[in-house]
Amino acid sequence: MSGRRHLLSVGDLGADGLREILRLADSFAEVNTRAIPKVPALRGRTVASLFFEDSTRTRLSFETAAKRLSADTVTFSAGSSSLSKGESLRDTAQTVTAMGVDCVVVRHRSAGAAVALSRWLDAAVINAGDGCHEHPTQALLDCYTIQQRLGGIEGRRVAIVGDIAHSRVARSLVAALQLLDASVTLVAPATLLPPAVEAWGVGLSSNLDDVVPRADVVYLLRLQRERQERALLPSEREFHERFGLSAERARRLADHAIVMHPGPLNRGVEIGAEVPEMTCATISEQVANGVSVRMAALFWLLGVPAGIASPPGAEVSPAPEPASAAEVGGD
Ligand code: NCD
């Protein structure tokens, strides 16, 4: 659709788009500290979640974000839908948008699913994870968390550890960190690195013990067995010994350094069982920040007129300056 904004990949956003959404997220983080964390910014808008893959935090986070902006929400569950009767992605999505939906948040096992929907539908599309390809709002919330804990992203040394090959989180995060001038090292066995990783412009290591003391951020990824087509590791135990961040390894981090994880966690595999509760770990902050960042993303797509007429009675027209986004009211 011409002129309509979508949020499909970090590359599409560019450094300016990333910075704009991170700035907006600050305003919404303030809303989320209020006794009633709700503003009427998207009243009259409808946000549909179309999740064709399992999700706990991403789906709840988007739904919470939409409700806190006073949007209406509708939810589609692959398991209980007509998909089992053979309906295609395109027909399913067109059915949902025919009901008058302004934004579709989609998660799908196929890379490119969100881009395809953005061409087919008359609605803004947010990619909430497409196969091993991208997960841009996760990268945004991770950048927001790094900024909040470390005061900035530029020049920070970020080690991303684990199953990079099957991780859409890693692809989006590397792209975002590079746009924001951080320095990235991937730490993984050769079997869990993606093909042509040399072209990514990142450091590579297979020795976590070398990397830990010099990192500002250690970002851990789960073994994504559901996407691995063959056995890529001798055993989880061996993976933990070489690439897991045990409590003992975490104690060798610099004092200011942080440990991040997008969830779901597999304690005792990529992360030591006690590490999520250590003060260096930001896992709950990432989840909390996810709501503010997704409020910012939804507002960036739907609150700013970008070829979209303002809904009757909308308080947010024309678009406010980023700093005033949260001042649109507090009902
Ligand atoms: C990730 C995902 O689904 O891509 N989780 C998330 O969105 N928080 C990572 C994963 O599944 O390991």
Side-chain angles (χ1 to χ4, degrees):
M1 286 298 124
S2 63
R4 190 185 283 287
R5 272 182 170 173
H6 302 285
L7 209 173
L8 302 171
S9 72
V10 167
D12 282 357
L13 275 178
D16 290 346
L18 283 173
R19 290 201 180 95
E20 193 183 339
I21 295 178
L22 294 176
R23 266 199 307 274
L24 277 169
D26 262 337
S27 310
F28 291 116
E30 184 277 313
V31 170
N32 287 330
T33 64
R34 297 181 191 171
I36 299 173
K38 192 158 175 154
V39 288
L42 297 187
R43 198 153 70 194
R45 304 288 197 170
T46 303
V47 176
S49 322
L50 265 63
F51 278 62
F52 298 87
E53 266 192 352
D54 295 343
S55 170
T56 303
R57 65 216 86 216
T58 304
R59 181 182 187 137
L60 288 176
S61 181
F62 269 112
E63 288 177 9
T64 306
K67 287 182 198 301
R68 290 189 181 177
L69 294 168
S70 306
D72 295 318
T73 54
V74 291
T75 299
F76 163 90
S77 296
S80 57
S81 71
S82 287
L83 277 187
S84 56
K85 300 178 188 168
E87 190 165 46
S88 69
L89 169 65
R90 183 174 187 159
D91 288 337
T92 304
Q94 271 168 349
T95 302
V96 174
T97 49
M99 295 172 195
V101 163
D102 301 287
C103 178
V104 170
V105 180
V106 63
R107 169 169 287 191
H108 198 277
R109 67 181 176 283
S110 303
V115 171
L117 284 190
S118 73
R119 298 199 179 123
W120 295 332
L121 302 181
D122 185 17
V125 175
I126 300 183
N127 181 4
D130 60 332
C132 300
H133 181 227
E134 283 246 15
H135 191 355
T137 58
Q138 180 71 43
L140 279 159
L141 76 89
D142 292 332
C143 288
Y144 188 82
T145 305
I146 296 173
Q147 201 170 274
Q148 192 178 54
R149 271 277 195 128
L150 302 181
I153 295 172
E154 194 184 332
R156 295 295 179 179
R157 282 176 300 216
V158 182
I160 305 179
V161 188
D163 185 358
I164 319 282
H166 301 94
S167 176
R168 52 196 175 207
V169 172
R171 281 173 182 76
S172 289
L173 183 58
V174 168
L177 291 170
Q178 289 180 327
L179 284 168
L180 300 175
D181 299 318
S183 125
V184 182
T185 300
L186 305 180
V187 187
T191 48
L192 293 180
L193 284 172
V197 69
E198 299 75 24
W200 287 27
V202 294
L204 297 176
S205 171
S206 56
N207 190 332
L208 183 57
D209 290 314
D210 277 355
V211 172
V212 160
R214 290 180 281 120
D216 299 303
V217 178
V218 175
Y219 194 104
L220 304 169
L221 293 169
R222 142 188 103 83
L223 294 169
Q224 289 144 82
R225 299 264 187 216
E226 72 277 21
R227 298 199 188 99
Q228 296 175 7
E229 278 150 20
R230 60 200 164 91
L232 295 169
L233 287 169
S235 71
E236 285 190 351
R237 196 188 145 143
E238 191 169 320
F239 177 81
H240 179 69
E241 272 162 24
R242 287 192 57 205
F243 297 99
L245 191 83
S246 58
E248 200 251 306
R249 280 197 173 111
R251 281 190 278 274
R252 282 189 261 131
L253 286 161
D255 288 346
H256 69 275
I258 56 174
V259 176
M260 303 181 74
H261 195 305
L265 305 176
N266 287 158
R267 290 184 195 239
V269 185
E270 75 278 6
I271 189 161
E274 326 82 311
V275 176
E277 282 71 45
M278 290 170 73
T279 49
C280 55
T282 63
I283 297 155
S284 306
E285 288 154 58
Q286 286 169 267
V287 174
N289 289 337
V291 176
S292 308
V293 164
R294 290 181 173 116
M295 287 170 81
L298 287 166
F299 184 79
W300 183 77
L301 287 169
L302 300 179
V304 181
I308 309 169
S310 299
E315 284 79 356
V316 191
S317 178
E321 287 303 303
S324 64
E327 291 159 16
V328 293
D331 67 3

